[in-house]
Amino acid sequence: MYCFTCGSGEPHRRLNDKEKDWLKKRLGRKSVDEFFICVAPGCRNTRTGLNKKPFDSPIRVPSD
């Protein structure tokens, strides 16, 4: 998938339960199942499957 913050196609994965909980609180939503996280070193930017830039400012999920 294309990563807006990396500026290139990068591997992404679905969020784990801890990451989902964080993003739910951050966005005030009940579900965040449509989001993916960029796994490029140092990135962790979020996107949906269809929208490479769903937010005006990037939202990066903190690492453990």
Side-chain angles (χ1 to χ4, degrees), residues 35-47:
F35 288 94
F36 292 84
I37 186 170
C38 178
V39 297
C43 185
R44 301 186 60 84
N45 185 48
T46 54
R47 65 161 289 161

Side-chain angles (χ1 to χ4, degrees), residues 4-39:
F4 179 76
T5 57
C6 291
S8 60
E10 299 293 340
H12 286 68
R13 64 168 173 78
R14 294 213 178 260
L15 282 72
N16 64 34
D17 290 338
K18 186 176 179 181
E19 293 163 342
K20 283 182 185 180
D21 288 341
W22 181 88
L23 192 57
K24 285 178 190 177
K25 289 176 187 171
R26 171 72 168 74
L27 298 177
R29 295 176 57 174
K30 290 184 180 189
S31 176
V32 292
D33 292 332
E34 72 272 23
F35 288 94
F36 292 84
I37 186 170
C38 178
V39 297

